[in-house]
Each structure stands twice: as structure tokens, then as C-alpha cells.
Amino acid sequence: MTRPLEGIRVLDLTVALSGPYGSLLLGGMGAEVIRVEAPGGSDLARTNPPFVGAEGIHFGAQRDGDVSLTNLNRGRNKKSITLDLKQPEGRALLLRLARECDVLIENMSEGTTAKLGVDYECVRAANPKIVYASIKAFGEPSPMPHLKGMDIIVQALSGIMEVTGERDGPPTRWGLPIADMVAPLYAVNGILGALIHRGRTGEGQQVMVSMLDCLASLLAEEHFDTMAGAGLPLRSGNFHDRLAPFGVYPASDGHVAIVAFSPDWFASLLDVLGRPELAEDPRYASRGARMQHAGDINALIAAWTCQRSADAVVRELLVERAVPCARVRTPREVLADPVLLQSGAVVRLAHPRLGDTEATGMGLPIRFSRTPSQFDQPAADLGSSNDEVYRTLLGLADDEIARLQAARTI
């Protein structure tokens, strides 16, 4: 059975996380991804600890033969070639490759593609039908041209940090690199839309995604400007007062998440707490009133949950009364969950370097009813597809390949 993007060839000029995650998604859906790096490697993610080597997984200095677990995770379902784009002949080879590709995806720093001569206009001249996807931190041209687009910087500028954390605490970084991971989701959506457009019209185009734009778009969902104008606090920690009771509460052996904003759920929760009369109390009888008295409600719930185990709370609320409730799980529990492993949301990484050492990687959380999709090809060694791409795809002769290798062009 063919995969959804079977027959689509992607030229991958990405580094770090936001770009490689986007090309990983395309590869998982069946696209042929050709990842381009400079001879010797140009992605700093290759030097991210932990490393996998003869001694298994370790956090020490990288030694000969060691590979980064980061690269084993992000480099799956991709071919690897080396090419020096700073050399004129390297740029010419890239444009030849672009003529054979449907998509180019890049996330280089602002101005780098133009400096190298591989920006959209140059690539479009070589292949007018190509879909050229660019992921940038702040757009291009950037309103902050001297600022590097690291995930925490984008989070800070997006406002997301200001609405994350405890009410009386500082702004808080998300526990995941949310900017780096959301932007490629939008980029892949844009690529697929552009491919559909090309299928109808024959026209290629550039798809542009800004990490800051993506996070600002998410921020706008909650109408924080309206709430700030009403004097409501922006940060509410583990609680969402507009939907009170809605939050995370302490148990005797961990924490539980409880949602009981609907009238039936709230009545059932009050019954468990032994306070059914509060359902008629004007302070709690409506969602608007509960929002103003969320602190009192949360204190009542916490006083009850902290006397019970998380499993006991879940049993009394969810199992016996159908009030949404769940134990807060650890990352280790989630990554070992047989249901998630079965669905393919998370997978066991397979690579010769790993041997019997177990490591978990990102899965493809999209399931198609007729077309299989998953990250099922291990990360390729740097330049391992040079022969296939240069000799077979571009038709270069043996002596020409030898000359390019000697010149460190490839």
C-alpha cells in the first residue's frame, strides 16, 4: 500500500528542531526526504547529549563512533547527503537537485538563503513548480534582525510565558519547546495546501511560517486582552478559573486533574465533597459566579483530594460519578504506555548503534484508514545517500563524484 505522500520528493535544508521536525512529518507520510548538510555535518543537533556509543547511552563527551540520540530521533525517514552550499559548484548542484524535487523546506537564519544563492527566487528560477517552505523565528524580513530565534526567546515575545505559571509567580517557560514544535505543524499544513494548489494549477509557491506568529495565534484563542481589561489575572497556575472547578489538585501520592464546570458534574462533585447544598448557593450556582469564587471552590476540593490517593479520587469521581478526572502521569509512565506504543504516538527507536539499548522517540500521531504512515526508517549516517543521489538521481559520472569529494564540495 502506498503512503499519502508517496512520489513527493523533499529537499531538506533544515537544522535544529523546527525544520527537522517538519521534514520528519513529511517523511513519515511517505515523502522521499533528501537531507542536505555540509561535509562534516552542519546541524548542531548532532552534538546534543545524550549520545549512543559502544557503552550504550551516556551524557559524557561525544567520542568517535558516538551519535546523538537527538539525531536518531529527528533523522528518521530521511536520506542524508553532504553538499557545501558556500562553494559555487555546491550551489549549482543544489539547484540541479531542486529541479528533481517537489518541495524544499528550510529554516536557516534570516538572510542566509539569499547569501548562499538558494532563496526562493533562485530556486523558483530553476523549478517554477517547487513548493518552497520557510520556517523563521520572526518572519523575513524580521522586525528584530539582530535577535536569534531560540525557542525560549520566541516564547518570551509571544506572551505565552506571561500567561503560564502561578498567579503570584514569575512568567514560566513551557516544559516543551512549544514554538519549535508548533511552527512545523503549520508549515506542513501549508506545504500540503500548496501541493494541492499546484495539483490544480501547476503553480508552485513559497510557504512562510513564523514561530512568533504561530504562538501569537494560539494566544489569541483565550481573549487575554479582554480579561486583562476586566482586571482578571493572566496567570492562574494549575487552574482555569473561567471554567471553575477546573484544575490540578494534590492527592496523598501525587496529583489529579479534575474538570467539573457543567451543572451535573459540579453537583456530583459537591455530593462527593459532602456539600450538596452549595449547588444552590448564589456564589456557586452559575459559572460566572464560580469564576469569582474559584479560590474557595479549589480549596474545598484540595482539602478532600489530599486525604486520598490519586487512584481513589479517580475511582470516586470518574468511575462512580462520571466526573472527568485523571491522575497526573509522569513522562516515564506515558512513554511506556502500551496503548500509546500500540497507536504509534510514541515508538521504540531502532538503530544499529542502539543495539539492545531501549530509547523512545516521537511517533506519527496521524492514522490513515487506507495508507500506512510511520517513522519506520532509522536515521541515516551523514552522507550515506551521496552515491544514490549524485550518481543515480543526478547522473554524475564516477570521476566527477571523485573530483567533488576531493574538493570537499560533497
Side-chain angles (χ1 to χ4, degrees):
M1 295 175 66
T2 59
R3 300 189 178 197
L5 295 183
E6 198 94 14
I8 298 296
R9 183 177 289 134
V10 177
L11 195 53
D12 179 3
L13 305 185
T14 65
V15 296
L17 174 54
S18 64
Y21 186 43
S23 58
L24 178 67
L25 293 171
L26 295 171
M29 289 188 284
E32 177 190 1
V33 179
I34 302 173
R35 190 173 187 216
V36 180
E37 289 186 75
S42 51
D43 188 354
L44 291 177
R46 289 187 177 275
T47 61
N48 282 350
F51 303 108
V52 179
E55 300 175 7
I57 296 177
H58 67 89
F59 289 84
Q62 189 173 18
R63 299 183 292 267
D64 289 345
D66 285 357
V67 293
S68 169
L69 191 59
T70 296
N71 190 62
L72 295 188
N73 193 11
R74 302 174 191 172
R76 290 168 292 163
N77 286 57
K78 303 174 187 180
K79 298 175 180 178
S80 175
I81 68 170
T82 53
L83 183 61
D84 186 357
L85 299 181
K86 295 179 180 179
Q87 295 188 31
E89 200 165 12
R91 290 193 292 273
L93 278 172
L94 186 92
L95 295 178
R96 286 182 62 180
L97 279 171
R99 295 188 189 102
E100 307 297 330
C101 293
D102 302 282
V103 176
L104 186 150
I105 180 170
E106 62 89 15
N107 67 324
M108 297 183 189
S109 299
E110 182 187 11
T112 301
T113 56
K115 187 183 302 182
L116 294 173
V118 295
D119 58 346
Y120 175 56
E121 294 305 323
C122 292
V123 173
R124 185 179 65 149
N127 180 1
K129 293 186 176 182
I130 201 160
V131 172
Y132 188 110
S134 298
I135 302 173
K136 304 298 178 185
F138 315 114
E140 193 169 29
S142 168
M144 294 159 280
H146 303 298
L147 185 58
K148 289 290 185 182
M150 309 304 291
D151 179 88
I152 193 170
I153 299 297
V154 178
Q155 285 195 39
L157 290 170
S158 73
I160 279 185
M161 288 175 64
E162 187 63 31
V163 300
T164 305
E166 296 298 330
R167 180 173 300 185
D168 298 323
T172 302
R173 171 192 170 273
W174 275 50
L176 291 172
I178 189 70
D180 274 329
M181 300 197 77
V182 166
L185 299 180
Y186 282 102
V188 168
N189 272 315
I191 289 168
L192 298 180
L195 287 172
I196 292 171
H197 173 80
R198 191 187 71 173
R200 290 198 302 258
T201 67
E203 297 175 336
Q205 61 182 304
Q206 185 175 16
V207 175
M208 292 165 285
V209 170
S210 153
M211 293 195 293
L212 180 58
D213 285 354
C214 292
L215 291 196
S217 176
L218 297 182
L219 184 81
E221 193 277 334
E222 273 297 317
H223 308 293
F224 285 107
D225 52 346
T226 301
M227 290 191 283
L232 299 173
L234 295 180
R235 288 193 295 279
S236 55
N238 282 329
F239 303 98
H240 190 3
D241 291 351
R242 186 165 57 81
L243 298 175
F246 185 115
V248 176
Y249 303 88
S252 62
D253 59 351
H255 291 81
V256 291
I258 299 173
V259 174
F261 59 79
S262 79
D264 290 344
W265 294 341
F266 187 52
S268 294
L269 174 62
L270 291 177
D271 185 54
V272 168
L273 298 180
R275 302 296 303 274
E277 76 281 0
L278 292 180
E280 305 301 325
D281 189 310
R283 295 172 299 170
Y284 312 123
S286 68
R287 281 179 54 183
R290 289 198 294 273
M291 180 178 177
Q292 300 299 321
H293 298 89
D296 296 337
I297 298 173
N298 290 331
L300 282 172
I301 298 171
W304 178 78
T305 58
C306 71
Q307 301 298 317
R308 292 159 175 79
S309 69
D311 287 342
V313 173
V314 171
R315 182 173 59 254
E316 292 193 56
L317 288 179
L318 178 64
V319 177
E320 297 179 6
R321 293 173 175 81
V323 176
C325 177
R327 181 171 60 86
V328 176
R329 296 198 291 179
T330 67
R332 177 171 285 186
E333 288 178 293
V334 174
L335 297 178
D337 187 331
V339 174
L340 297 176
L341 288 164
Q342 176 65 32
S343 74
V346 293
V347 298
R348 298 299 188 201
L349 290 179
H351 193 278
R353 301 281 179 86
L354 283 167
D356 295 330
T357 304
E358 284 199 352
T360 304
M362 298 176 288
L364 183 65
I366 307 170
R367 285 183 280 178
F368 298 88
S369 64
R370 296 188 58 82
T371 50
S373 299
Q374 192 48 268
F375 309 133
D376 52 4
Q377 300 171 31
D381 290 336
L382 181 67
S384 60
S385 296
N386 277 2
D387 190 72
E388 175 188 354
V389 171
Y390 292 124
R391 191 185 311 275
T392 305
L393 182 60
L394 293 189
L396 300 186
D398 290 350
D399 58 346
E400 189 173 6
I401 291 175
R403 181 181 61 78
L404 292 168
Q405 288 172 335
R408 298 282 292 169
T409 304
I410 64 174

